[in-house]
Coordinates of all heavy atoms in Angstrom, one line a residue:
I999 N -6.4 7.1 30.4 CA -7.3 7.6 29.4 C -6.7 8.6 28.5 O -7.0 8.7 27.3 CB -8.6 8.2 30.1 CG1 -9.4 7.0 30.7 CG2 -9.5 9.0 29.1 CD1 -10.7 7.2 31.3
S1000 N -5.7 9.4 29.0 CA -5.0 10.3 28.1 C -4.2 9.5 27.1 O -4.1 9.8 25.9 CB -4.0 11.2 28.8 OG -4.6 11.8 29.9
E1001 N -3.6 8.4 27.6 CA -2.9 7.5 26.7 C -3.8 6.9 25.6 O -3.5 6.8 24.4 CB -2.2 6.4 27.5 CG -1.2 5.6 26.7 CD -0.2 6.4 26.0 OE1 0.4 7.3 26.5 OE2 0.0 6.2 24.8
A1002 N -5.0 6.5 26.1 CA -6.0 6.0 25.1 C -6.3 7.0 24.0 O -6.4 6.7 22.9 CB -7.3 5.6 25.9
L1003 N -6.4 8.3 24.4 CA -6.7 9.3 23.5 C -5.6 9.4 22.4 O -5.8 9.5 21.2 CB -6.8 10.7 24.2 CG -7.1 11.9 23.2 CD1 -8.4 11.7 22.6 CD2 -7.1 13.2 24.0
N1004 N -4.3 9.3 22.9 CA -3.2 9.3 22.1 C -3.2 8.2 21.0 O -3.0 8.4 19.8 CB -2.0 9.0 23.0 CG -0.9 10.0 22.7 OD1 -0.8 10.5 21.6 ND2 -0.1 10.2 23.7
L1005 N -3.6 6.9 21.5 CA -3.6 5.8 20.6 C -4.8 6.0 19.6 O -4.7 5.6 18.5 CB -3.8 4.5 21.4 CG -2.7 4.2 22.4 CD1 -3.0 2.9 23.1 CD2 -1.4 4.1 21.8
L1006 N -5.9 6.5 20.1 CA -7.0 6.7 19.2 C -6.6 7.6 18.1 O -7.0 7.4 16.9 CB -8.2 7.3 20.0 CG -8.9 6.4 20.9 CD1 -9.9 7.1 21.8 CD2 -9.7 5.3 20.2
N1007 N -5.9 8.7 18.5 CA -5.5 9.6 17.4 C -4.6 8.9 16.4 O -4.6 9.2 15.3 CB -4.7 10.8 18.1 CG -5.7 11.8 18.7 OD1 -6.8 11.9 18.3 ND2 -5.2 12.4 19.8
N1008 N -3.8 8.0 17.0 CA -2.9 7.3 16.1 C -3.6 6.5 15.1 O -3.1 6.3 14.0 CB -2.0 6.4 17.0 CG -0.6 6.8 16.9 OD1 0.0 6.9 15.8 ND2 0.0 7.2 18.1
V1009 N -4.7 5.9 15.5 CA -5.4 4.9 14.6 C -6.4 5.6 13.7 O -6.5 5.4 12.5 CB -6.1 3.8 15.5 CG1 -6.9 2.9 14.5 CG2 -5.0 3.0 16.2
Y1010 N -7.2 6.5 14.3 CA -8.3 7.1 13.6 C -8.1 8.4 12.9 O -8.9 8.9 12.2 CB -9.5 7.3 14.5 CG -10.1 6.0 15.1 CD1 -10.4 5.9 16.4 CD2 -10.3 4.9 14.3 CE1 -11.0 4.8 17.0 CE2 -10.9 3.8 14.8 CZ -11.2 3.7 16.2 OH -11.8 2.6 16.7
G1011 N -6.9 9.0 13.2 CA -6.8 10.4 12.7 C -7.5 11.3 13.7 O -7.7 11.0 14.9
A1012 N -8.0 12.5 13.2 CA -8.4 13.5 14.2 C -9.9 13.4 14.6 O -10.2 13.9 15.7 CB -8.2 14.9 13.6
M1013 N -10.7 12.8 13.8 CA -12.1 12.8 14.0 C -12.7 11.5 14.2 O -12.5 10.6 13.3 CB -12.8 13.4 12.8 CG -12.7 14.9 12.7 SD -14.1 15.7 13.4 CE -13.3 17.0 14.2
H1014 N -13.5 11.2 15.2 CA -14.1 9.9 15.3 C -15.0 9.9 16.5 O -14.7 10.5 17.5 CB -13.0 8.8 15.4 CG -13.6 7.4 15.2 ND1 -14.3 6.8 16.2 CD2 -13.5 6.6 14.1 CE1 -14.6 5.6 15.7 NE2 -14.2 5.5 14.4
P1015 N -16.2 9.2 16.5 CA -17.1 9.3 17.6 C -16.4 8.8 18.9 O -16.6 9.3 20.0 CB -18.2 8.3 17.3 CG -18.2 8.3 15.8 CD -16.8 8.5 15.3
E1016 N -15.5 7.8 18.8 CA -14.8 7.3 20.0 C -13.9 8.4 20.6 O -13.7 8.4 21.8 CB -14.1 6.0 19.7 CG -15.0 4.9 19.5 CD -14.2 3.6 19.3 OE1 -13.0 3.5 19.7 OE2 -14.8 2.6 18.8
I1017 N -13.3 9.2 19.8 CA -12.4 10.2 20.3 C -13.3 11.3 21.1 O -12.9 11.7 22.1 CB -11.6 10.9 19.2 CG1 -10.7 9.9 18.5 CG2 -10.8 12.1 19.7 CD1 -9.8 10.5 17.5
A1018 N -14.4 11.6 20.5 CA -15.3 12.5 21.2 C -15.6 12.0 22.6 O -15.6 12.8 23.6 CB -16.6 12.7 20.4
Q1019 N -15.9 10.7 22.7 CA -16.2 10.1 24.0 C -15.1 10.2 24.9 O -15.2 10.5 26.1 CB -16.5 8.7 23.7 CG -17.5 8.2 24.7 CD -18.1 7.0 24.2 OE1 -18.1 6.8 23.0 NE2 -18.7 6.3 25.0
C1020 N -13.9 9.9 24.4 CA -12.7 9.9 25.2 C -12.4 11.4 25.7 O -12.1 11.6 26.9 CB -11.5 9.5 24.4 SG -10.2 8.9 25.3
L1021 N -12.7 12.3 24.9 CA -12.5 13.8 25.3 C -13.5 14.1 26.4 O -13.2 14.9 27.3 CB -12.7 14.7 24.1 CG -11.5 14.7 23.1 CD1 -11.9 15.3 21.8 CD2 -10.3 15.5 23.7
R1022 N -14.7 13.6 26.2 CA -15.7 14.0 27.2 C -15.3 13.4 28.6 O -15.4 14.1 29.6 CB -17.1 13.3 26.9 CG -18.1 13.5 28.0 CD -19.1 12.4 28.1 NE -19.9 12.3 26.9 CZ -20.9 11.4 26.8 NH1 -21.2 10.6 27.7 NH2 -21.5 11.3 25.6
M1023 N -14.7 12.2 28.6 CA -14.3 11.6 29.9 C -13.1 12.4 30.5 O -13.1 12.6 31.6 CB -13.8 10.2 29.5 CG -13.5 9.3 30.7 SD -15.0 9.0 31.5 CE -14.5 7.5 32.4
L1024 N -12.2 12.8 29.6 CA -11.0 13.6 30.1 C -11.5 14.9 30.7 O -11.0 15.4 31.7 CB -10.1 13.9 28.9 CG -9.1 12.7 28.6 CD1 -8.3 13.0 27.4 CD2 -8.2 12.4 29.8
A1025 N -12.5 15.5 30.0 CA -13.0 16.8 30.5 C -13.5 16.6 31.9 O -13.3 17.4 32.8 CB -14.1 17.3 29.6
R1026 N -14.3 15.6 32.0 CA -14.9 15.3 33.3 C -13.9 15.1 34.4 O -14.0 15.5 35.5 CB -15.8 14.1 33.2 CG -16.8 14.1 34.2 CD -18.0 13.2 33.7 NE -19.0 13.3 34.8 CZ -20.1 14.0 34.7 NH1 -20.3 14.7 33.5 NH2 -20.9 14.1 35.6
L1027 N -12.8 14.3 34.1 CA -11.8 14.0 35.0 C -11.1 15.3 35.4 O -10.8 15.6 36.6 CB -10.8 13.0 34.5 CG -11.3 11.6 34.4 CD1 -10.3 10.7 33.7 CD2 -11.5 11.1 35.8
N1028 N -10.8 16.2 34.4 CA -10.1 17.4 34.7 C -11.0 18.2 35.7 O -10.5 18.9 36.6 CB -9.9 18.2 33.4 CG -8.6 17.8 32.7 OD1 -7.6 17.7 33.3 ND2 -8.7 17.5 31.4
Y1029 N -12.3 18.2 35.4 CA -13.2 19.0 36.2 C -13.1 18.5 37.7 O -13.0 19.3 38.6 CB -14.6 18.9 35.6 CG -15.6 19.8 36.4 CD1 -15.5 21.2 36.3 CD2 -16.6 19.3 37.1 CE1 -16.4 22.0 36.9 CE2 -17.5 20.1 37.8 CZ -17.4 21.5 37.7 OH -18.3 22.3 38.3
I1030 N -13.2 17.2 37.8 CA -13.2 16.6 39.2 C -11.9 16.9 39.9 O -11.9 17.2 41.1 CB -13.5 15.1 39.1 CG1 -14.9 14.9 38.7 CG2 -13.1 14.4 40.4 CD1 -15.3 13.4 38.7
M1031 N -10.8 16.9 39.1 CA -9.5 17.2 39.7 C -9.3 18.7 39.8 O -8.2 19.1 40.2 CB -8.4 16.5 39.0 CG -8.7 15.0 39.0 SD -7.5 13.8 38.3 CE -6.6 14.7 37.1
G1032 N -10.3 19.5 39.5 CA -10.2 20.9 39.8 C -9.6 21.8 38.7 O -9.4 23.0 38.9
D1033 N -9.2 21.2 37.5 CA -8.7 22.1 36.5 C -9.8 22.5 35.5 O -10.1 21.8 34.5 CB -7.6 21.3 35.7 CG -6.9 22.1 34.7 OD1 -7.4 23.2 34.4 OD2 -5.8 21.7 34.2
H1034 N -10.5 23.6 35.9 CA -11.7 23.9 35.1 C -11.4 24.4 33.7 O -12.2 24.1 32.8 CB -12.5 25.0 35.9 CG -13.0 24.6 37.2 ND1 -13.7 25.4 38.0 CD2 -13.0 23.3 37.8 CE1 -14.1 24.7 39.1 NE2 -13.7 23.4 39.0
M1035 N -10.3 25.1 33.5 CA -10.0 25.6 32.1 C -9.7 24.4 31.2 O -10.3 24.3 30.1 CB -8.7 26.4 32.1 CG -8.8 27.9 32.4 SD -10.2 28.7 31.6 CE -9.5 29.2 30.1
E1036 N -8.9 23.4 31.7 CA -8.6 22.2 30.9 C -9.9 21.4 30.6 O -10.1 20.9 29.4 CB -7.6 21.4 31.6 CG -7.0 20.2 30.8 CD -6.5 20.6 29.4 OE1 -5.9 21.8 29.3 OE2 -6.5 19.8 28.5

Side-chain angles (χ1 to χ4, degrees):
I999 288 183
S1000 309
E1001 191 50 51
L1003 180 65
N1004 230 334
L1005 300 182
L1006 286 171
N1007 284 329
N1008 246 301
V1009 174
Y1010 294 136
M1013 285 264 138
H1014 194 282
E1016 287 185 20
I1017 297 188
Q1019 211 161 338
C1020 199
L1021 283 165
R1022 172 211 299 185
M1023 189 70 157
L1024 279 174
R1026 204 159 183 101
L1027 284 174
N1028 274 313
Y1029 185 68
I1030 287 183
M1031 299 185 335
D1033 186 345
H1034 294 176
M1035 272 319 270
E1036 189 52 32

